[in-house]
Amino acid sequence: FAQITAEESEDELLSREERADARLSERDAAGGNKEGAVTEETEGDGQGDGEEAEQPDQTPVLSNKPRKKKKKRKTKKTSAGETLEDNDLEDIDSLLEKIEDTNGLSQQTQSGIIAGSRPLLYVEHRNLNPENELKRYFGARTVLGDLRPRQRQRQYVRSMWLTVPKNTWPRYSKTGMAMQLVDTRRGVQYFTFEHHREYQQVQFKFLDAVDSMDPNNIVLLLQMNPYHVDSLLQLSDVCRMQEDHEMARDLIERALYSLECAFHPVFSLTSGTCRLDYRRPENRAFFLAVFKHLIFLERRGCPRTALEFCKLILSLDPENDPLCVLLMIDFLSLRAREYTFLTRMFQEWESHRNLSQLPNFAFSVPLAYFFLSQQEERSELELSQARERATRLIQLALIMFPSVLMPLLDHCSVQPDARVASHSFFGLNAQISQPPALNQLTSLYVGRTHSLWKDPAVMAWLETNVHEVLRMVDARDPLVEESEHKRKMRYQSAPRNIYRHIILSEMKEATAALPPEVTSQPVMGFDPLPPLDSIVSYTRPERTNHPSNESTLSLFFRSLLPNFNLQGDIRHDGDGEAGAGQDLNQGVNRLMAAMRDMLANIQFQEPPRDDNPEGDGDWD
């Protein structure tokens, strides 16, 4: 094993030397200055060409002396016997994958099988970069363009994991935000973001800008504080509403960069043992920034990267799941073809999280097993087991959630046969009789995942199981009545995190099903539906110029009379009922006095007479 590793290291070094030679030959052809050119690995030890053959571990200094011509190897073989061409060597990610496969370090194969040694929510650093996924789809040259490798790496900012900093961003300076380690229990570390005094002052200005309802005030604030996270999140929503998706995505990435610069030295993105409490307002920006970022990644066509960010959010608070990413992790797994991850998650979490009671898991898990049963590289035993599990689970899902079938077929533009369309079990009554909370979950799943069911093979498999379920219904199977009882007892009202997820996802089908108590209250993009048990570390000071509880009538008269104040002086003592009534009477008296003054000062202009030819002709 040690010899294999040493051989791999020597091959890597030789491949780098070959690329350096090719780069030098390009510069020679271009006629540039070659004197004193040195590769990146050179450490100034002055080795010549003759010593290169004797000491391959040291990189030579490239000079303008004539070199001996040596044959360039077209291919080379690794210890696993795989042939690598020079074009493949330029792709760093593919090279790393082949080395890991050779050494037995890879935990995930191309078929999506995850080794059991890693935690379920383990996050891989390389999968957080969308360029790696795009390069696997389209090739490195298409993604990075025709830039040379040295120009691609010309970055003057620190390297980050969550996003790639851009040279067009403002220069970063400390914002006054930091992360602290709060507690460590049973191998789990609890962190929290903290806002120092200077960041709090900017936060107060941001809240004033939000109250003004003018996005330009947020833009001005960002010009002075380009890395204020809440301002970036709010302005990103404004840009997205104006169809400027590129700018909206750029602002989210800048917010992630600002948050990562404030990380604690021991805070780990990959271990899955670091926690953040969503009840603290300082921590919510990180949850929301990562969530909005993965939405952009999924729409950009990077579902594997979006899945990795989804696992990151879930690992920050897996018990409470404040953004309820469990409602979308199945969709991202199916889109990324990570079927084994989804089935493993269902097996490990079903006992304590009841994932089968969520419509998205009830339908997506059997779909994942169906896709696994179509993979020819698996053994016949694995294929038969996957088919059996897919059949059993899809029938349970159809019995438990019959209201999903008809909307799913409608979104897929599939007309059901006469038996299914006329049967009352899947009819309109199944959708009308279900509780509102269940209607929100089914609408969210159908609107998000219907494209995955359009495959003709999937539809044929679904049709067979639908007819089998109807046979069980007609035979009065006890499971059908039991499932109906569960639907009536559960799903009476959805928790707050589900409402928060629906608002952030912006699925039309699910948003239309939100209850009035959610849609009637204002929702801010930087903090949608804050928890009712928030842990507040600092409060916004009371403003003296513009009282926060002004009524619409007071705002109207303020627009006419800027010095008018209905509330008068702000009280510093408690707000008792008697004091409130007295202030109301005084406010009404001042209002009437202001009305009299306004009416007394109004002067009407007389219209010009016909006998006054020099009168103002603009009056009408």
Side-chain angles (χ1 to χ4, degrees):
F1 180 85
Q3 292 177 353
I4 294 176
T5 306
E7 184 181 3
E8 286 295 316
S9 301
E10 188 174 345
D11 290 339
E12 280 188 275
L13 183 59
L14 290 174
S15 64
R16 287 198 297 267
E17 292 177 359
E18 291 173 8
R19 288 197 295 272
D21 294 341
R23 199 178 304 127
L24 181 64
S25 62
E26 291 177 1
R27 294 177 184 174
D28 292 339
N33 184 16
K34 278 74 68 178
E35 190 168 352
V38 183
T39 59
E40 295 180 1
E41 294 81 11
T42 302
E43 297 181 359
D45 45 1
Q47 297 293 332
D49 294 343
E51 297 177 3
E52 179 183 356
E54 299 176 0
Q55 299 179 3
D57 294 336
Q58 297 182 359
T59 304
V61 176
L62 303 179
S63 64
N64 56 358
K65 296 181 181 180
R67 298 174 56 92
K68 295 180 181 179
K69 294 183 179 179
K70 63 178 181 179
K71 295 182 179 180
K72 186 176 181 181
R73 293 181 302 174
K74 296 300 182 182
T75 60
K76 72 183 185 75
K77 291 190 176 182
T78 63
S79 58
E82 297 180 2
T83 301
L84 302 178
E85 297 183 357
D86 290 336
N87 293 334
D88 293 334
L89 291 176
E90 293 181 0
D91 192 347
I92 300 176
D93 298 310
S94 62
L95 180 61
L96 290 176
E97 289 178 1
K98 295 180 186 300
I99 293 175
E100 288 181 355
D101 291 339
T102 304
N103 294 339
L105 300 177
S106 178
Q107 301 292 336
Q108 182 175 358
T109 62
Q110 295 179 355
S111 61
I113 302 177
I114 300 177
S117 58
R118 283 184 175 175
L120 179 66
L121 300 180
Y122 178 84
V123 177
E124 296 187 51
H125 276 144
R126 62 178 180 178
N127 289 331
L128 294 176
N129 188 354
E131 288 186 357
N132 294 336
E133 183 174 4
L134 293 175
K135 283 188 291 185
R136 285 194 290 269
Y137 294 152
F138 308 107
R141 185 171 295 277
T142 303
V143 175
L144 300 178
D146 294 330
L147 297 177
R148 295 181 179 179
R150 296 178 70 119
Q151 292 176 333
R152 293 173 190 164
Q153 299 174 0
R154 188 171 296 170
Q155 295 285 344
Y156 300 103
V157 290
R158 56 189 296 186
S159 178
M160 313 298 285
W161 289 115
L162 293 178
T163 184
V164 179
K166 300 178 181 178
N167 293 330
T168 57
W169 290 355
R171 184 177 181 86
Y172 180 80
S173 59
K174 289 187 178 294
T175 60
M177 179 173 56
M179 179 185 282
Q180 298 295 331
L181 177 61
V182 179
D183 192 10
T184 301
R185 298 192 302 268
R186 298 178 180 177
V188 178
Q189 297 171 319
Y190 295 85
F191 295 86
T192 183
F193 284 95
E194 288 186 349
H195 294 171
H196 297 163
R197 181 175 298 275
E198 57 270 23
Y199 196 94
Q200 293 180 15
Q201 298 301 323
V202 179
Q203 186 73 12
F204 298 150
K205 294 179 182 179
F206 164 73
L207 295 176
D208 293 339
V210 172
D211 291 342
S212 68
M213 305 297 291
D214 187 0
N216 293 322
N217 293 333
I218 303 179
V219 175
L220 295 175
L221 181 63
L222 275 177
Q223 291 179 355
M224 301 298 296
N225 308 274
Y227 288 97
H228 181 253
V229 179
D230 284 348
S231 298
L232 293 169
L233 295 178
Q234 190 69 22
L235 190 60
S236 175
D237 287 347
V238 175
C239 294
R240 184 176 43 78
M241 294 176 185
Q242 297 176 353
E243 302 297 329
D244 191 355
H245 297 286
E246 187 67 25
M247 178 58 69
R249 181 167 58 89
D250 185 80
L251 293 172
I252 293 297
E253 292 179 358
R254 201 199 302 181
L256 286 175
Y257 176 69
S258 178
L259 288 163
E260 189 171 358
C261 288
F263 278 179
H264 193 274
V266 299
F267 182 80
S268 174
L269 295 171
T270 61
S271 64
T273 59
C274 296
R275 302 286 184 264
L276 287 175
D277 194 347
Y278 193 81
R279 294 177 300 172
R280 296 182 179 271
E282 297 88 345
N283 296 337
R284 295 172 198 164
F286 185 64
F287 284 87
L288 296 171
V290 175
F291 188 91
K292 293 174 184 289
H293 184 56
L294 73 88
I295 293 294
F296 281 117
L297 288 172
E298 189 272 328
R299 294 174 180 174
R300 189 183 174 188
C302 301
R304 183 66 185 87
T305 310
L307 174 62
E308 212 69 16
F309 278 96
C310 190
K311 290 159 59 178
L312 172 60
I313 297 179
L314 189 58
S315 68
L316 296 176
D317 193 354
E319 295 299 327
N320 300 314
D321 192 11
L323 299 186
C324 208
V325 294
L326 281 178
L327 296 180
M328 70 183 308
I329 196 170
D330 61 300
F331 167 67
L332 296 176
S333 301
L334 292 174
R335 278 212 57 195
R337 300 183 180 181
E338 295 291 329
Y339 309 128
T340 308
F341 167 78
L342 181 58
T343 55
R344 179 192 172 191
M345 186 177 192
F346 181 77
Q347 294 171 3
E348 293 185 8
W349 285 28
E350 168 63 16
S351 59
H352 66 283
R353 298 295 291 268
N354 292 327
L355 296 182
S356 60
Q357 301 305 305
L358 294 174
N360 58 311
F361 271 93
F363 281 87
S364 293
V365 172
L367 184 60
Y369 276 118
F370 174 78
F371 287 138
L372 287 175
S373 67
Q374 304 297 309
Q375 296 179 348
E376 298 178 354
E377 64 271 13
R378 294 181 176 272
S379 64
E380 186 60 34
L381 178 60
E382 292 177 338
L383 295 178
S384 62
Q385 290 178 351
R387 284 192 293 267
E388 292 175 1
R389 292 175 181 175
T391 300
R392 177 172 54 86
L393 290 177
I394 191 61
Q395 292 178 7
L396 292 177
L398 290 170
I399 293 175
M400 185 65 195
F401 305 106
S403 60
V404 174
L405 179 63
M406 288 304 180
L408 182 62
L409 296 179
D410 183 59
H411 277 74
C412 296
S413 302
V414 174
Q415 184 69 27
D417 55 23
R419 181 190 177 193
V420 177
S422 60
H423 204 284
S424 60
F425 185 72
F426 293 114
L428 185 62
N429 186 42
Q431 304 176 36
I432 298 177
S433 61
Q434 69 179 358
L438 182 56
N439 186 28
Q440 297 158 13
L441 294 176
T442 56
S443 301
L444 181 67
Y445 177 73
V446 172
R448 173 177 283 157
T449 326
H450 64 88
S451 60
L452 301 174
W453 293 82
K454 291 184 177 181
D455 189 0
V458 174
M459 276 296 166
W461 165 71
L462 179 63
E463 180 183 9
T464 302
N465 289 280
V466 166
H467 286 288
E468 180 63 24
V469 168
L470 289 181
R471 187 194 63 79
M472 297 172 62
V473 172
D474 295 337
R476 297 187 179 276
D477 193 298
L479 183 60
V480 178
E481 184 178 356
E482 180 183 353
S483 299
E484 183 180 0
H485 178 70
K486 289 181 179 179
R487 287 196 303 272
K488 292 181 179 180
M489 296 300 296
R490 304 171 181 175
Y491 314 106
Q492 294 301 319
S493 61
R496 199 170 179 86
N497 60 341
I498 291 182
Y499 293 149
R500 197 178 294 124
H501 176 89
I502 294 175
I503 292 174
L504 291 172
S505 300
E506 297 182 347
M507 301 295 300
K508 295 183 298 182
E509 297 84 355
T511 305
L514 287 174
E517 59 267 18
V518 176
T519 56
S520 60
Q521 56 180 308
V523 178
M524 296 299 178
F526 67 95
D527 190 10
L529 297 181
L532 302 179
D533 55 347
S534 299
I535 302 176
V536 180
S537 58
Y538 65 94
T539 57
R540 183 181 179 185
E542 192 173 10
R543 295 175 297 168
T544 57
N545 294 331
H546 301 284
S548 60
N549 57 343
E550 279 189 299
S551 63
T552 305
L553 184 62
S554 176
L555 292 174
F556 168 71
F557 282 104
R558 183 179 293 280
S559 65
L560 299 177
L561 303 173
N563 295 328
F564 171 73
N565 186 8
L566 176 63
Q567 281 82 7
D569 296 333
I570 298 179
R571 300 183 309 273
H572 297 283
D573 54 353
D575 294 334
E577 295 183 358
Q582 182 179 1
D583 287 348
L584 179 61
N585 294 331
Q586 293 178 358
V588 172
N589 293 333
R590 283 194 295 272
L591 175 61
M592 297 304 298
M595 287 286 295
R596 286 193 295 268
D597 293 340
M598 183 180 67
L599 294 176
N601 293 329
I602 292 179
Q603 297 180 359
F604 297 96
Q605 183 179 3
E606 296 182 0
R609 296 189 301 273
D610 294 338
D611 56 352
N612 185 13
E614 297 180 357
D616 188 4
D618 293 337
W619 186 89
D620 52 15

